Amino acid sequence: MGEGRPRMLGGVVDCVACGAPGGGAECQELFERLLALDHARREPWGSLHGVVVACFLLQHPGHPLAGAGDHGPWWAMLRAYLDGGREGLGALTETMRRRNSHRRRGRPQWPAVPALPERAAPDGFGVTIADVAVDGSFPADGYEDRVRAWAKSTLAARSGDPTG
């Protein structure tokens, strides 16, 4: 569960970041499996790469890829996906591509979205990478529904708003 407060379930320590059974090493292994599926660019995994990375890093803020910088882009990605589905996510991606033109100087600015609330990390999340993985294989059947639930759970827990 929450940082520094592992929970025991059947003799297995849960991940201190997200609360998933099996601990942080299990979450990292699942994340690596998921990235391999994403990078194969096969459906249904590839097109949701940004969403699952955002979910994982918002639930594991201590992960080396999370960095200490602005997490607003991940927040924007989840909001775009939850508010507009794949179309909303595609529109955000296209906007960012245009803003990342070689003709522009500096870092591209993300579209305006509500700021990621400044609050303590939640004690756990209703849906974690372990739930999306099901049996560890991230089965295609129902994958997008599980990712949507993960995104909604992540936003709800991070914002303190149960509706996300």
Side-chain angles (χ1 to χ4, degrees):
M1 299 287 271
E3 195 68 39
R5 295 177 296 207
R7 183 176 60 131
M8 296 287 286
L9 182 63
V12 177
V13 177
D14 290 350
C15 176
V16 296
C18 72
E26 178 72 15
C27 287
Q28 178 61 33
E29 183 178 322
L30 290 172
F31 186 52
E32 289 170 10
R33 281 188 213 158
L34 183 53
L35 290 178
L37 288 167
D38 289 353
H39 290 299
R41 297 186 180 190
R42 291 181 21 229
E43 290 303 323
W45 306 278
S47 61
L48 296 175
H49 171 75
V51 174
V52 300
V53 168
C55 286
F56 185 82
L57 296 178
L58 284 169
Q59 287 191 358
H60 297 85
H63 190 278
L65 293 177
D70 177 22
H71 298 157
W74 302 332
W75 190 255
M77 191 163 297
L78 296 188
R79 279 276 38 118
Y81 178 64
L82 289 174
D83 293 345
R86 286 178 182 253
E87 295 79 22
L89 186 60
L92 175 66
T93 302
E94 185 55 35
T95 297
M96 291 311 298
R97 264 194 209 113
R98 282 194 311 273
R99 291 180 180 188
N100 196 27
S101 166
H102 68 279
R103 292 180 284 257
R104 293 181 180 258
R105 295 189 184 269
R107 216 171 134 179
Q109 295 296 310
W110 284 80
V113 295
L116 180 64
E118 295 294 327
R119 53 176 278 159
D123 283 344
F125 295 85
V127 179
T128 68
I129 192 168
D131 299 304
V132 179
V134 181
D135 58 3
S137 71
F138 298 92
D141 189 35
Y143 177 74
E144 186 163 1
D145 292 335
R146 293 188 309 275
V147 168
R148 180 172 292 285
W150 191 19
K152 188 172 183 176
S153 171
T154 301
L155 286 183
R158 291 299 304 261
S159 69
D161 177 356
T163 64

